[in-house]
Amino acid sequence: MLRITDTITIEDWELTEQFVRSSGPGGQNVNKVSSAVELRFEAERSPNLPDPVKRRLKRLAGRRWTLEGTLIIQCDETRHQAHNRDIARDRLVALIRKATERPKPRIPTRPTLGSKRRRLKAKKVRGDIKALRGKFEGED
């Protein structure tokens, strides 16, 4: 069981781990040792995640979210299988914790009168500069 917050926990059946060969240099061990971990979390089917958290998690996960609603986290940072497994689980916990935070609603504001005047003045100055680039009469 993986504890996320006081109210959210993930059961072991929701997580599957697969150990694969890590990419990159490794010498003679590179073709023998499966130290990288691929952690799969069945987020869409999880009864412990509220719907708003699932929606935010899907948006945060991006490409790591599959069409079936599975969140895939890969880790091949170290050459130790157990350490990679811990890192992957920590990443999952951090991602779900971030998804539990409700976004602050945006309050639309209006531009101030001074900012409008400064913008229009800058446009006028720029237009005057561009007007000087034209051809003069009597040339050619």
Side-chain angles (χ1 to χ4, degrees):
M1 187 167 69
L2 199 60
R3 185 170 214 68
I4 308 297
T5 62
D6 294 336
T7 57
I8 298 174
T9 56
I10 296 175
E11 301 298 326
D12 290 333
W13 66 266
E14 299 176 82
L15 296 174
T16 55
E17 293 170 338
Q18 184 176 1
F19 296 100
V20 293
R21 291 196 179 119
S22 182
S23 64
Q28 294 174 343
N29 274 344
V30 75
N31 294 325
K32 296 188 292 188
V33 181
S34 296
S35 61
V37 68
E38 185 179 89
L39 180 68
R40 292 175 167 267
F41 170 51
E42 302 293 333
E44 195 68 51
R45 298 187 310 144
S46 176
N48 300 322
L49 288 181
D51 283 337
V53 174
K54 285 181 189 177
R55 285 195 300 270
R56 287 192 291 265
L57 183 62
K58 183 177 181 178
R59 192 175 67 247
L60 285 171
R63 290 176 27 191
R64 296 176 286 188
W65 189 276
T66 65
L67 294 174
E68 297 84 37
T70 304
L71 177 63
I72 300 174
I73 296 179
Q74 295 176 330
C75 181
D76 61 352
E77 284 183 16
T78 67
R79 293 173 66 175
H80 301 284
Q81 195 179 69
H83 196 207
N84 281 336
R85 182 174 181 249
D86 293 339
I87 292 171
R89 284 174 173 255
D90 291 342
R91 285 182 188 170
L92 177 67
V93 169
L95 196 64
I96 296 174
R97 279 194 183 140
K98 191 169 183 178
T100 58
E101 297 171 8
R102 294 179 61 189
K104 194 171 106 177
R106 183 189 178 278
I107 301 169
T109 58
R110 292 175 55 195
T112 62
L113 185 62
S115 68
K116 286 182 186 176
R117 288 186 177 150
R118 284 190 297 274
R119 183 179 63 85
L120 292 175
K121 183 177 182 228
K123 284 169 70 78
K124 176 77 175 134
V125 168
R126 190 76 186 142
D128 291 342
I129 291 171
K130 288 186 174 188
L132 294 174
R133 295 182 189 161
K135 288 193 172 186
F136 292 104
E137 295 195 20
E139 274 189 14
D140 203 33

